[in-house]
Amino acid sequence: DLFIHTYFKKISTRLAKYGYDPTRLIRTIWDGTEAMIKNDGQKKNEAVFWDYVVGEYGDMILKDKHHFDKFYVEEFDSVKEVCGYNPDAASTVRRLKDNGYRVVLATNPVFPSVATEWRIKWAGLSPDDFELYTTYENSRFCKPNVNYYKEILEKVKKVLESYNFKEIRVPVFEHTELFQRGVGETTDVVQKEMYTFDDKGGRSITLRPEGTA
């Protein structure tokens, strides 16, 4: 898309000044990104990316890594010109926080943190608006790997535990009368949302319709 095209053009133009052929560099960054997407979790995405790049260029490219870093600090912000802007994004995040929700930015972690922080600012937000935002420095998996989401949950769980919150798991099945008595027999929960059956002992059992019922 236009964002990717503009990003590749800008970074390859900048690095061309240091002897990197633009076509080869773009292909290497693209393939390094693919390596991150296939990451099995043994290393952070950052290490996976640079291991691939070193495999293509040799250790010499590590001496030029500061040129890559400077691009993200000094020029990546200019890619904003081709990105859309939706003011509802910022207002939605703030509304969620005002209502007590903990907000995580689960963006595919294939960029360094400085690039992700620029993108957050483009949306009219601050990195501080998020309890966690995923980057290639702090992640071991990428979308659509389910372990990417598990890793986020584990990180958020550690924050909760530091405040002495503990995980609870509610029963999947309950006695039917619990819901009839608790929320009322004429409610939608009882009349429309419950799956009820008799167990082998003749007791009426219901699949819990929701976590709060």
Side-chain angles (χ1 to χ4, degrees):
D1 61 16
L2 185 57
F3 168 79
I4 293 297
H5 174 78
T6 304
Y7 160 65
F8 276 145
K9 182 176 180 180
K10 287 180 179 292
I11 193 171
S12 62
T13 299
R14 171 120 181 187
L15 272 296
K17 294 185 293 184
Y18 306 104
Y20 291 92
D21 174 70
T23 300
R24 184 186 178 193
L25 180 65
I26 290 172
R27 185 178 68 251
T28 300
I29 294 174
W30 195 254
D31 291 344
T33 301
E34 182 68 21
M36 287 190 284
I37 291 172
K38 294 178 179 178
N39 189 1
D40 62 6
Q42 294 187 40
K43 299 179 181 179
K44 295 286 183 67
N45 288 345
E46 179 182 22
V48 170
F49 176 80
W50 283 101
D51 282 352
Y52 182 86
V53 172
V54 168
E56 290 294 308
Y57 285 97
D59 290 339
M60 57 157 273
I61 197 169
L62 294 177
K63 298 177 182 178
D64 289 332
K65 186 176 181 297
H66 65 285
H67 293 308
F68 287 83
D69 295 338
K70 279 190 173 182
F71 165 78
Y72 288 108
V73 172
E74 299 173 355
E75 286 191 43
F76 186 79
D77 184 39
S78 65
V79 183
K80 175 184 178 181
E81 65 193 20
V82 299
C83 294
Y85 173 73
N86 184 346
D88 291 338
S91 62
T92 298
V93 169
R94 295 192 177 105
R95 193 177 305 119
L96 287 169
K97 293 186 67 178
D98 289 343
N99 282 280
Y101 287 92
R102 303 165 65 211
V103 184
V104 171
L105 178 60
T107 182
N108 220 5
V110 296
F111 283 101
S113 57
V114 62
T116 302
E117 288 161 6
W118 276 123
R119 295 173 68 192
I120 290 171
K121 293 172 184 176
W122 298 346
L125 292 161
S126 163
D128 292 337
D129 287 318
F130 300 94
E131 185 168 318
L132 169 71
Y133 51 95
T134 51
T135 68
Y136 86 166
E137 294 100 333
N138 67 14
S139 303
R140 294 178 180 272
F141 303 98
C142 291
K143 300 175 184 179
N145 190 329
V146 69
N147 289 314
Y148 166 71
Y149 301 98
K150 289 181 178 179
E151 186 177 34
I152 290 175
L153 291 174
E154 283 299 315
K155 290 175 181 176
V156 173
K157 181 180 178 182
K158 288 179 180 178
V159 175
L160 279 173
E161 289 176 344
S162 70
Y163 288 94
N164 207 32
F165 285 91
K166 304 297 181 183
E167 180 181 4
I168 63 169
R169 299 193 181 191
V170 298
V172 176
F173 293 98
E174 296 274 15
H175 293 291
T176 303
E177 59 264 27
L178 174 70
F179 302 109
Q180 292 173 334
R181 184 175 66 248
V183 298
E185 293 189 17
T186 60
T187 61
D188 281 350
V189 170
V190 172
Q191 295 189 352
K192 299 178 181 179
E193 300 176 11
M194 295 198 334
Y195 174 71
T196 300
F197 61 94
D198 290 339
D199 68 7
K200 292 181 178 180
R203 295 166 298 189
S204 181
I205 300 297
T206 293
L207 179 67
R208 177 175 283 275
E210 56 174 270
T212 60

